[in-house]
């Protein structure tokens, strides 16, 4: 009897969790759901990421499918309020799991999934994801790992409803080893994935400070009117500036410290960067970022 009650309560909780998704129009026919600048938690259901969709006369193109099956299902409901059209493509910007775990929902709707080679390499059916560990079985719900339909190694261009989507990897390694950006030339809109963060700090754990700076430079070279990052609310042409300032300052201070023979055991005490303490997740991510930058820049110095 107790087990039956527990099952029923779990079912009710899954059904009751509401992401409260409200699409924000960034330009005509381009909408985004903006996640909170915080860590994954049961309280937010993993909704700490930005996902977007583009409305064309043939159907929708989704940029990143979000943290769970339920999230994607609720996002789809919002799209259908705009137009009763199918989702034709889902483009995944990189392989961090907050960005792609709605894939199985869209696959069930007949959408084609496009993503980087690193997704194919690092995302394996049956693996337990970070999202699954944090959210637990009930919130993770129907979420499943599915394969991509197309893999992008360098660049790919698709056309949907006379709208061109240019998909490109700008650098060999930046936030990860497989970051894709998606550019719509006609609208001058660029989806940058986690190459761009606002309102919170980035993480360098799988990437490169030098590659990230190079990626930001190449994004700016597009002269896009709208730049949507993977996290944060800023979407204008200056959306790269906060992260660029953070990484540029870190690079300079770490190199200065190395020239003063400050070792890794002391570097996080030296490179504090107080001007950035106000940014969300500073206490969680900054020290690790400094250590990762130190290792990379030290290795570069040794090679020279």
């Amino acid at each position: 009897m107790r087990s039956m009650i527990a099952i029923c309560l779990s079912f009710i909780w899954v059904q009751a969790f509401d992401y409260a998704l409200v699409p924000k129009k960034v330009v005509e026919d381009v909408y985004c759901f903006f996640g909170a600048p915080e860590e994954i938690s049961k309280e937010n259901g993993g909704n700490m990421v930005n996902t977007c969709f583009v409305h064309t006369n043939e159907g929708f193109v989704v940029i990143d499918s979000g943290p769970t099956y339920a999230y994607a299902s609720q996002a789809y409901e919002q799209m259908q309020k705009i137009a009763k059209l199918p989702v034709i493509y889902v483009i995944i910007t990189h392989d961090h799991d907050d960005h792609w775990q709605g894939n199985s929902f869209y696959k069930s709707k007949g959408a084609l999934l496009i993503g980087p080679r690193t997704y194919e390499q690092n995302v394996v059916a049956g693996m337990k994801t970070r999202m699954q560990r944090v959210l637990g079985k009930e919130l993770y719900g129907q979420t499943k790992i599915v394969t991509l339909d197309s893999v992008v190694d360098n660049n790919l261009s698709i056309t949907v409803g006379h709208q061109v989507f240019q998909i490109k990897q700008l650098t060999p390694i930046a936030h990860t080893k497989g970051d894709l950006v998606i550019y719509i030339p006609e609208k001058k809109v660029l989806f940058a994935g986690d190459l761009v963060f606002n309102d919170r700090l980035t993480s360098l754990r799988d990437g490169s400070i030098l590659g990230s700076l190079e990626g930001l430079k190449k994004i700016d070279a597009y002269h896009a009117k709208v730049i949507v990052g993977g996290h944060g609310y800023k979407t204008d042409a200056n959306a790269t500036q906060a992260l660029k300032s953070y990484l540029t300052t870190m690079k300079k201070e770490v190199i200065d410290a190395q020239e003063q023979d400050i070792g890794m055991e002391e570097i996080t005490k030296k490179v504090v960067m107080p001007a950035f303490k106000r940014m969300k997740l500073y206490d969680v991510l900054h020290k690790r970022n400094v250590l990762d930058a130190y290792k990379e820049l030290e290795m570069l110095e040794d090679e020279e």
Side-chain angles (χ1 to χ4, degrees):
M1 182 66 175
R2 287 182 180 178
S3 61
M4 285 296 294
I5 292 172
I7 290 170
C8 291
L9 287 174
S10 294
F11 179 78
I12 291 169
W13 171 241
V14 171
Q15 294 298 310
F17 191 86
D18 183 3
Y19 283 96
L21 297 177
V22 178
K24 179 180 177 181
K25 182 189 287 189
V26 292
V27 295
E28 190 66 30
D29 295 326
V30 178
Y31 302 82
C32 294
F33 303 107
F34 292 93
E38 57 194 31
E39 294 185 276
I40 298 167
S41 68
K42 287 187 175 181
E43 288 69 31
N44 62 32
N47 187 14
M48 34 64 76
V49 62
N50 298 341
T51 69
C52 301
F53 62 93
V54 181
H55 173 209
T56 79
N57 57 17
E58 289 184 9
F60 295 101
V61 175
V62 170
I63 315 299
D64 284 339
S65 61
T68 64
Y69 184 102
Y71 176 101
S73 174
Q74 292 173 35
Y76 179 78
E77 289 176 6
Q78 294 300 315
M79 292 178 222
Q80 295 306 294
K81 292 177 182 178
I82 293 170
K84 299 293 183 183
L85 291 170
V87 172
I88 298 176
Y89 290 106
V90 177
I91 306 171
I92 304 304
T93 58
H94 64 291
D95 65 8
H96 285 170
D97 67 353
D98 47 324
H99 292 261
W100 55 259
Q101 293 202 89
N103 283 2
S104 59
F105 170 80
Y106 290 112
K107 192 93 164 183
S108 74
K109 292 292 183 181
L112 297 175
L113 307 180
I114 299 173
R117 179 68 60 184
T118 49
Y119 180 101
E120 188 176 68
Q121 294 168 341
N122 299 331
V123 178
V124 181
M127 66 184 280
K128 192 165 187 177
T129 65
R130 172 187 55 162
M131 194 69 63
Q132 187 176 5
R133 288 193 298 270
V134 175
L135 299 186
K137 184 177 179 180
E138 289 78 17
L139 289 183
Y140 200 66
Q142 296 174 262
T143 309
K144 295 178 182 177
I145 293 173
V146 293
T147 58
L148 299 175
D149 296 288
S150 296
V151 173
V152 180
D153 285 306
N154 296 304
N155 59 76
L156 174 70
S157 183
I158 60 174
T159 301
V160 183
H162 308 293
Q163 195 73 71
V164 176
F165 297 79
Q166 297 175 352
I167 309 166
K168 188 174 180 63
Q169 182 170 345
L170 298 180
T171 66
I173 180 171
H175 185 66
T176 69
K177 292 182 179 179
D179 303 289
L180 301 179
V181 300
I182 300 93
Y183 183 58
I184 307 177
E186 182 182 328
K187 295 182 180 297
K188 293 190 178 299
V189 172
L190 187 143
F191 303 97
D194 280 6
L195 292 180
V196 172
F197 277 67
N198 287 294
D199 307 304
R200 55 154 285 192
L201 290 192
T202 186
S203 168
L204 294 174
R205 72 180 186 274
D206 293 328
S208 159
I209 186 170
L210 298 177
S212 294
L213 285 167
E214 180 66 17
L216 290 169
K217 181 180 177 181
K218 290 183 175 180
I219 287 171
D220 285 341
Y222 276 90
H223 301 292
K225 291 182 178 178
V226 173
I227 300 172
V228 183
H231 301 268
Y233 306 127
K234 191 175 181 65
T235 61
D236 63 19
N238 297 313
T240 61
Q241 297 309 304
L243 181 56
K244 186 186 298 183
S245 177
Y246 175 71
L247 295 177
T248 301
T249 302
M250 182 183 297
K251 178 187 172 186
K252 180 182 183 305
E253 291 196 13
V254 168
I255 290 174
D256 288 347
Q258 288 173 338
E259 290 175 350
Q260 298 170 37
D261 292 325
I262 293 173
M264 187 176 293
E265 65 282 355
E266 296 294 324
I267 191 66
T268 58
K269 297 176 184 176
K270 176 69 174 177
V271 184
V272 179
M273 297 167 56
F276 298 92
K277 283 187 174 182
R278 59 181 173 76
M279 296 188 75
K280 297 289 180 65
L281 301 188
Y282 173 94
D283 292 338
V284 176
L285 296 171
H286 178 69
K287 287 183 178 180
R288 171 67 187 269
N289 286 341
V290 171
L291 288 171
D292 287 337
Y294 185 97
K295 293 176 200 173
E296 179 183 352
L297 295 168
E298 183 180 47
M299 188 179 301
L300 185 68
E301 183 178 329
D302 289 344
E303 290 175 356
E304 293 174 349

